[in-house]
Amino acid sequence: MTHFKYYKGTPALGNTSPDVLLKFPLAFFRAFALIVIVVSFNGGVAFCALERQSAGEAAVERGDFEAAVTAWREEARRYEANRNASGRIRALVNLAEAYQELGRPELALTTLEMARDAATRSADKRGLIAIKNSLGSLYTRSGKSALAEPLLMESLALAEQEKDSIGIALVANNLGNLFASQERDALAQQNYLRCTALAAELRDWVLSSRATLNLAALLAREGQNAQASGFCERVWKNLFDLPDSHDKAQLCLAVSYLFQTLAGRDEKLLDNAAQPAREAQRIAEKIGDSRSLSSAFGYLGAIAEKQGRHAEAVPLTRRARFLAQQTQSPHLLYQWEWQMARLLKAQGQTDEAIGAYRRAVETHHTLCDCAGCGGDAPASFRETVGPLYYQLADLLLQRANSGIDAQKNLAEARDTLEILKTAEIEDYFHDICVTVGQAKVRDVEAVLQNAAAIYYVPLPDRTEILLGLPSGWRRFFIAMGAGALNAKARRLRLHLERPSSDRYLIYAQELYEALIRPLEATLRAEKVGTLVFVPDGALRAIPLAALHDGQQFLIEKFNVAVVPGLTLMDPRPLPRGKISVLAGGVSEAVQGFDSLPGVSGELGHIRQNYDAKELLNADFTKAAVQRRIAEGAYQIIHIASHGEFNGDPQQTYLLTYDGRLTLNDLEDVIRPHQYRGVPVELLVLSACQTAAGDDRAALGLAGVALKSGARSALATLWSVGDEASAELMNQFYSALKKDPSLSKAAALRMSQIALLKDKRFQHPALWSPYLLIGNWL
């Protein structure tokens, strides 16, 4: 009788910033770094093709997934030739699991879809259990929780119907991973416990250990370190009863990483973390598992680094790096290059450290290009991999300050930040194509003309400011670290949203003194008229136009625009011939949302300035919007309806009369116009809300133009009163219509100043949340 066997090879674990961004749920790491990654891998059901061990299984046991791919691909072909549907399905599921271990989620998805088609045709229920479970796990790791949950629930229902205990246990573990990624911790814990209990009954100690470690990671994230440590100790003791294999080596590494994270800088506890890493080394050497061996050496190097034993850490890291190169494992290689860079920096070898940082950045960027940056939504890309880019930028800025090739080092620091900005946007949207379709600027200085680009680089001990001008780059810095800067920005946002209070002025003035005052003399000397901000962290979620010098708001001095990255924008002015506009929205109360009675007037003002096609209320359906955009060629699309930018891009939407329009929906109909050479020049979203304190949600707002395929966007950080919104939009469109030479940034400034001078709307809560994003010309 054919039996089911779970196998799971762990991904390569990093030391302080493992590369799990392409494969594993990142929401676990918001408060607790990366410890759960080692046990949140595939979790699908892998089948044995025969009662005896297959060549694919043997390859997996020694961690040779390339050989496993070859074996299971051949098995799938053989079963297909013999018209053995169930055998082919099992081989395809195993093949998909191996692809996932090699960091090839796109091939895994294609393979699982083939298996699902075959299982559906043959009514293979056991196969469907495995396939849906693996797909759900894959989608969880890709940040597509809305797709993952129904698949996992269907798999669970089938497994319960078939009384398939191992299937139930496997799905429970994956549901735990999904719920943990969504911070639904009670449900996650419930599912991990269910998996642990069932696996113990079935004497599947590998699966039981994995679920236990997932539970430990969850408890650690909640601050229950003693309980988490107890679970780790239990797993560590039980591992000695398992036969040596890739699975066992990976579980040892998982325990080591958990111990490292729980230990912090405690040398005694770090010594405890070294024991399972050494055991993983022993197993990997015995079975010839080079990837696990690379991780073991890397971990031992990381422990030595944390204990300040740099001379010992360097050769260990070199061995880890060599094995990563030998096995062509870029997800490991960038981690060990990064670790080596830190060690070299600590030893005062700055030039060598910069070289290692460059190699780490290059390798990681290649990883993103190849695999699609599919991290899970709620965790910040910045928290996990951002430090790599910022540490390199920091060294380059320090070298520029010393007078060594100052312009060259400043430009490279900027380029490093641009790579990070691109990777962040791609990670947020889980889509490398989001930046591919945009015409990218290479000579950024030539684009600036009378504008200045401003990068804020928040570092632990200070904030660097890079000022880009047509004449070159200048460097400034303030003695305010990232923590203090983000805290002040969040307090400003909190008070700005309250029209009845003027407390915002305290923080608006403090931030002006820190972020703008050091630049003023240079901006005046260079006759700068437009400030183009490339914001970071909490600065993405505040309207920089509302910063105040004690006499005036920043918007009273300069045009203001924001871009997710300067090289990502398409620098062309808005054509001023006959402009075609699609204007739509919902003024009525629908789907539990409040009415927006000012929407009708807002759309009416647009009609006064342009010959606009209008979709209002019952006409503003999802299908109608998509059809109109797809069939027309509009330079401006204006949407006046409730909308929300969420930390999870799948939860970001615009309200239609009958449903919700996602950014993917908009992209499907807007981007084709870009490819046909008639792009949407401006996408206006006049009633959006971006959650305060959610830096990822603000990242989604910053990338809305890139994602949709529009050249630029005008959107709100928070919802503004109907009357103020209608007035600002009227002023904006009137300014654009009246003066064809006026840039979008200048038109927005004029409209904001008009509201500022109106006693009804002078509080910045009513005029400042409008951000011009992308092409400001």
Side-chain angles (χ1 to χ4, degrees):
M1 177 178 176
T2 303
H3 66 281
F4 297 84
K5 182 175 184 292
Y6 175 79
Y7 85 82
K8 212 37 250 127
T10 305
L13 301 172
N15 49 341
T16 56
S17 297
D19 174 52
V20 295
L21 297 169
L22 311 178
K23 298 175 66 179
F24 304 100
L26 296 184
F28 290 42
F29 317 136
R30 172 176 292 179
F32 197 60
L34 295 147
I35 58 172
V36 83
I37 52 125
V38 291
V39 284
S40 62
F41 39 74
N42 293 348
V45 179
F47 302 93
C48 287
L50 303 170
E51 287 294 330
R52 61 182 173 79
Q53 187 181 55
S54 72
E57 288 184 293
V60 167
E61 284 199 3
R62 63 179 185 271
D64 188 351
F65 291 99
E66 290 89 349
V69 163
T70 300
W72 278 320
R73 192 188 290 145
E74 178 56 35
E75 281 189 9
R77 281 196 292 261
R78 189 167 65 248
Y79 281 123
E80 184 175 22
N82 294 332
R83 297 186 179 180
N84 183 335
S86 60
R88 178 170 177 261
I89 291 164
R90 289 158 173 75
L92 288 173
V93 172
N94 286 333
L95 176 60
E97 295 289 333
Y99 278 138
Q100 291 183 59
E101 293 306 326
L102 293 172
R104 301 301 303 273
E106 71 288 353
L107 288 177
L109 179 59
T110 300
T111 304
L112 286 171
E113 292 292 355
M114 290 169 56
R116 180 161 62 175
D117 289 344
T120 302
R121 287 195 303 270
S122 63
D124 185 340
K125 291 184 179 179
R126 298 290 291 270
L128 283 171
I129 293 169
I131 293 160
K132 291 184 178 184
N133 189 36
S134 286
L135 279 170
S137 176
L138 178 61
Y139 283 134
T140 296
R141 275 172 272 138
S142 299
K144 299 175 181 176
S145 57
L147 296 176
E149 187 164 353
L151 283 164
L152 291 174
M153 297 306 293
E154 289 168 15
S155 182
L156 180 62
L158 273 173
E160 290 174 338
Q161 179 183 325
E162 294 294 304
K163 297 183 171 53
D164 176 8
S165 296
I166 189 65
I168 294 169
L170 291 166
V171 180
N173 187 48
N174 279 340
L175 279 170
N177 292 340
L178 172 66
F179 293 137
S181 75
Q182 298 171 325
E183 297 191 343
R184 298 157 71 183
D185 289 1
L187 284 173
Q189 188 172 35
Q190 176 184 323
N191 277 278
Y192 289 142
L193 289 170
R194 185 181 190 187
C195 176
T196 301
L198 280 171
E201 287 178 14
L202 296 164
R203 305 184 68 78
D204 188 336
W205 305 119
V206 171
L207 178 57
S208 176
S209 296
R210 289 183 181 121
T212 301
L213 290 175
N214 275 337
L215 178 58
L218 188 68
L219 292 169
R221 186 178 75 181
E222 295 172 346
Q224 301 181 50
N225 287 9
Q227 278 186 280
S229 183
F231 280 124
C232 289
E233 291 280 1
R234 182 192 306 174
V235 170
W236 172 229
K237 290 175 183 176
N238 291 339
L239 286 180
F240 290 99
D241 296 327
L242 294 177
D244 291 342
S245 67
H246 173 78
D247 275 350
K248 182 177 178 180
Q250 291 293 307
L251 286 169
C252 288
L253 291 167
V255 171
S256 176
Y257 193 86
L258 277 161
F259 278 155
Q260 287 181 60
T261 309
L262 291 166
R265 296 282 174 177
D266 187 307
E267 289 204 17
K268 183 177 179 181
L269 293 177
L270 284 171
D271 286 337
N272 292 340
Q275 295 177 36
R278 292 193 189 98
E279 177 66 5
Q281 176 190 342
R282 180 194 68 77
I283 296 167
E285 289 174 336
K286 176 182 175 182
I287 66 176
D289 184 352
S290 296
R291 286 188 178 86
S292 293
L293 187 58
S294 175
S295 292
F297 283 134
Y299 275 24
L300 291 169
I303 292 166
E305 179 191 10
K306 290 174 183 175
Q307 293 178 326
R309 296 182 285 112
H310 296 149
E312 184 180 335
V314 167
L316 288 165
T317 305
R318 283 204 183 103
R319 295 177 75 181
R321 185 175 63 183
F322 171 77
L323 287 164
Q325 290 170 329
Q326 190 179 53
T327 56
Q328 298 181 16
S329 303
H331 57 289
L332 280 175
L333 180 58
Y334 97 85
Q335 297 169 52
W336 309 142
E337 290 285 15
W338 185 1
Q339 185 162 293
M340 183 62 74
R342 295 194 305 273
L343 291 167
L344 292 168
K345 178 185 175 183
Q347 293 178 327
Q349 300 179 53
T350 302
D351 290 345
E352 292 82 357
I354 288 174
Y357 272 121
R358 285 171 176 156
R359 292 191 296 273
V361 165
E362 182 180 356
T363 303
H364 183 264
H365 192 55
T366 301
L367 260 181
C368 290
D369 286 344
C370 291
C373 288
D376 196 17
S380 172
F381 185 93
R382 176 59 47 80
E383 294 170 14
T384 53
V385 181
L388 165 62
Y389 294 83
Y390 271 81
Q391 287 163 21
L392 173 56
D394 187 2
L395 282 183
L396 292 167
L397 291 168
Q398 290 181 44
R399 194 156 71 171
N401 191 47
S402 70
I404 301 173
D405 293 327
Q407 279 297 307
K408 181 180 177 181
N409 282 294
L410 289 177
E412 186 179 350
R414 178 210 65 201
D415 291 344
T416 300
L417 297 175
E418 284 289 322
I419 295 171
L420 173 60
K421 303 293 185 185
T422 300
E424 277 191 298
I425 292 291
E426 291 172 348
D427 172 72
Y428 175 82
F429 290 112
H430 313 302
D431 181 6
I432 61 170
C433 296
V434 72
T435 59
V436 170
Q438 194 74 10
K440 298 183 182 181
V441 176
R442 296 304 176 194
D443 184 5
V444 294
E445 290 82 0
V447 173
L448 293 174
Q449 298 174 7
N450 71 331
I454 302 175
Y455 290 80
Y456 293 114
V457 189
L459 300 166
D461 61 336
R462 70 192 190 284
T463 295
E464 295 268 356
I465 306 174
L466 279 179
L467 178 64
L469 299 161
S471 58
W473 291 85
R474 313 284 177 85
R475 170 185 173 269
F476 303 83
F477 77 93
I478 56 172
M480 183 188 297
L485 179 62
N486 285 330
K488 288 182 183 295
R490 291 188 177 108
R491 285 197 289 269
L492 173 60
R493 167 69 187 264
L494 176 68
H495 293 291
L496 266 178
E497 288 190 62
R498 300 173 178 173
S500 60
S501 170
D502 286 336
R503 288 197 62 191
Y504 72 86
L505 271 172
I506 299 171
Y507 307 107
Q509 290 174 7
E510 285 183 355
L511 285 172
Y512 188 99
E513 292 301 315
L515 301 179
I516 305 297
R517 189 74 73 187
L519 316 178
E520 280 189 323
T522 303
L523 295 174
R524 282 195 300 269
E526 295 282 337
K527 298 180 180 179
V528 168
T530 300
L531 303 183
V532 182
F533 291 98
V534 190
D536 187 271
L539 294 180
R540 291 191 184 108
I542 64 169
L544 291 158
L547 299 188
H548 199 276
D549 68 357
Q551 301 294 324
Q552 291 180 299
F553 289 102
L554 184 64
I555 196 64
E556 296 181 83
K557 298 180 174 184
F558 300 96
N559 304 325
V560 174
V562 297
V563 292
L566 198 60
T567 60
L568 294 174
M569 54 83 62
D570 190 1
R572 303 184 198 180
L574 178 68
R576 299 304 174 89
K578 181 175 173 57
I579 293 179
S580 179
V581 179
L582 176 65
V586 179
S587 65
E588 298 175 4
V590 296
Q591 302 177 50
F593 288 83
D594 294 337
S595 63
L596 296 172
V599 165
S600 299
E602 185 173 319
L603 301 189
H605 289 314
I606 297 173
R607 289 199 310 274
Q608 290 175 10
N609 289 286
Y610 299 100
D611 181 20
K613 299 289 189 299
E614 184 178 292
L615 296 172
L616 181 62
N617 292 328
D619 293 328
F620 189 73
T621 63
K622 181 176 180 178
V625 173
Q626 290 176 297
R627 184 175 62 255
R628 280 293 184 94
I629 296 174
E631 293 174 353
Y634 301 101
Q635 283 75 50
I636 298 174
I637 296 175
H638 183 108
I639 297 176
S641 181
H642 289 288
E644 179 178 345
F645 281 86
N646 193 282
D648 180 351
Q650 294 184 79
Q651 303 302 317
T652 292
Y653 65 88
L654 301 170
L655 190 74
T656 62
Y657 195 79
D658 62 342
R660 296 185 179 189
L661 198 64
T662 68
L663 291 183
N664 283 337
D665 295 330
L666 279 177
E667 181 184 29
D668 288 343
V669 290
I670 291 178
R671 192 171 294 282
H673 294 291
Q674 182 188 65
Y675 296 141
R676 290 196 290 266
V678 284
V680 172
E681 298 288 343
L682 179 63
L683 173 65
V684 180
L685 310 174
S686 68
C688 291
Q689 176 80 24
T690 305
D694 189 339
D695 295 349
R696 277 187 65 85
L699 180 62
L701 179 64
V704 64
L706 283 171
K707 176 62 175 174
S708 66
R711 291 197 196 278
S712 57
L714 176 57
T716 53
L717 280 165
W718 58 82
S719 188
V720 179
D722 273 11
E723 192 178 0
S725 178
E727 181 61 23
L728 186 138
M729 288 300 165
N730 182 37
Q731 294 283 347
F732 176 73
Y733 285 115
S734 297
L736 282 180
K737 181 75 172 180
K738 183 177 180 181
D739 185 354
S741 67
L742 204 63
S743 69
K744 294 190 287 288
L748 177 60
R749 176 176 178 243
M750 289 177 64
S751 61
Q752 289 178 310
I753 291 175
L755 264 68
L756 174 59
K757 292 180 177 179
D758 188 323
K759 290 183 179 180
R760 297 172 299 164
F761 309 125
Q762 62 187 10
H763 194 283
L766 301 176
W767 56 261
S768 73
Y770 294 87
L771 300 186
L772 181 63
I773 304 158
N775 177 19
W776 66 89
L777 298 176

